[in-house]
Amino acid sequence: MNGCAYIFLDEAGNLDFSASGTRWFVLTSVSMRRPFTATGALDAYKHDCLEYGLNTEYFHCADDNKHVRGQVFDIITQNMGDFRIDSLVVEKPKTGPAMQADTRFYPEMLGYLLKYVVPKEIAAGATEVIVITDLIPVNKKRRAVEKGVQKALAEMLPEGMHYRILHHSSRSHFGLQVADYCCWAVYRKWQSGETAYHDRIAGGMRSEFEIFRTGKKAYY
């Protein structure tokens, strides 16, 4: 097995903590090792879409039509054995005022997620970790994300272990597009109670943790 673990991150919900904001905020990671077996099928299907007449530059779950969405979920399901999906779920009304600033909320939530995911990758033989997020347009938020990832990795990785934090356009990597699809499915379950797509990725879910829930943690 390749010793480099790739962790692709995506988010759903907004950071508006007022009554008009989303109730839930979800962070999802998809961890993969090379070779990325789903990549070939996703690339082939992207070109099927082009030949059908769709202007498909990349897959984005919220914007893709129902047929495309179903086909992409089919590909994800068929390759479920080659990656792990982990989600951290935040019920925003339970977030204290001091925690609501981007510079604190985002890094700490990312830290909680990565503190669970990274040790699993190390235990599975990872000798290097590459964390990739979608492009973050706001510099303040980008710094917050980087701070959260760096802190979590510094605490979790053995001394001398290599890691990198990269921000790439989701257009550039099918791993980010898979993370987008999985995060969307988890978010729909919590925000609107729609579970059909979540059920399709359940075989690849390794954890789904509602961070402010009292009682037993919701790990699979």
Side-chain angles (χ1 to χ4, degrees), residues 1 6 12 24 35 38 43 49-50 55 67 79 95 97 100 155 160 173-174 184 196-197 204-205 208 211 215:
M1 178 180 288
Y6 286 81
W24 299 94
D43 186 64
C49 292
L50 295 178
N55 185 16
H67 177 75
N79 292 275
T95 306
Q100 293 176 10
E155 293 177 356
H173 203 296
F174 285 117
W184 184 88
Y197 292 103
M205 294 291 301
E208 188 173 352
I211 192 165

Side-chain angles (χ1 to χ4, degrees), residues 11 14 33 49 69 73 76 109 119 124 131-132 180 201 205:
E11 65 186 73
N14 59 42
R33 307 285 181 93
C49 292
R69 187 179 297 146
F73 271 111
I76 292 172
M109 295 305 106
V131 178
I132 304 179
D180 165 73
I201 64 169
M205 294 291 301

Side-chain angles (χ1 to χ4, degrees), residues 98-166:
M99 176 72 76
Q100 293 176 10
D102 286 359
T103 51
R104 185 175 177 192
F105 177 81
Y106 217 96
E108 292 195 23
M109 295 305 106
L110 272 174
Y112 281 121
L113 177 61
L114 290 174
K115 283 177 184 179
Y116 179 73
V117 174
V118 171
K120 301 298 182 183
E121 291 300 318
I122 295 173
T127 56
E128 181 179 5
V129 175
I130 297 178
V131 178
I132 304 179
T133 76
D134 196 358
L135 288 179
I136 303 167
V138 181
N139 285 332
K140 176 182 172 183
K141 188 175 176 183
R142 182 184 303 119
R143 289 193 293 271
V145 172
E146 291 173 346
K147 178 181 176 181
V149 175
Q150 288 169 349
K151 180 180 178 182
L153 293 182
E155 293 177 356
M156 290 293 104
L157 295 181
E159 185 176 355
M161 187 174 183
H162 297 291
Y163 71 90
R164 281 182 288 163
I165 305 164
L166 307 173

